[in-house]
Amino acid sequence: MKHKLLLLSGFALVSVMAADPAGFVYWPKGAPPSAGPKSARFDNHSLSVSHRDKNGVAELHENQTDIMVVESGEATLVAGGEVVDPKNDGHGEVRGPSIKNGVKKNLSAGDVVHIPAGMPHQFFLAPGQQITYFVVKVNKP
């Protein structure tokens, strides 16, 4: 009987130590493990952590919504309006040097932002500032 109990305990331990199920992602404290990939892609969405220490270009994702959670730092986000001198890369991404008629929002740790597909957006950082944010990109159906 002791032998069977020991064998069953061993099976239970192996199942606890098994690899993560397919599609399961665990990033402790909102950051991917240092030895692992910095993003995860799935059928209709992806996960990543972005870090900026300088201004970004104006961008628009034709087929993806961005959901961002600011983890640390500060930045100004300009959203809406129109991309100035837009350049389409042919893969649903539009870039340009700036945004005309957008709204400004000051972002800091804990803020959540939802940018629908097709909406221009651009980050601005004051000298010496940085921002780190978690991003979920959701593909249009």
Side-chain angles (χ1 to χ4, degrees), residues 31-55:
S34 59
K38 302 302 178 210
S39 65
R41 296 187 189 282
F42 305 94
D43 290 340
N44 66 344
H45 66 285
S46 63
L47 309 175
S48 64
V49 174
S50 292
H51 178 81
R52 294 180 181 270
D53 57 9
K54 60 185 177 184
N55 296 337

Side-chain angles (χ1 to χ4, degrees), residues 12-33:
L13 184 59
V14 168
S15 65
V16 170
M17 295 174 46
D20 289 339
F24 177 83
V25 172
Y26 171 65
W27 289 353
K29 309 278 188 271

Side-chain angles (χ1 to χ4, degrees), residues 35-93:
K38 302 302 178 210
S39 65
R41 296 187 189 282
F42 305 94
D43 290 340
N44 66 344
H45 66 285
S46 63
L47 309 175
S48 64
V49 174
S50 292
H51 178 81
R52 294 180 181 270
D53 57 9
K54 60 185 177 184
N55 296 337
V57 298
E59 57 186 74
L60 176 153
H61 315 296
E62 293 175 338
N63 301 308
Q64 291 182 315
T65 292
D66 281 345
I67 301 165
M68 303 174 188
V69 179
V70 179
E71 293 185 347
S72 64
E74 297 178 349
T76 298
L77 176 68
V78 175
E82 302 172 37
V83 175
V84 173
D85 192 24
K87 303 285 189 259
N88 192 318
D89 74 354
H91 299 287
E93 299 292 320

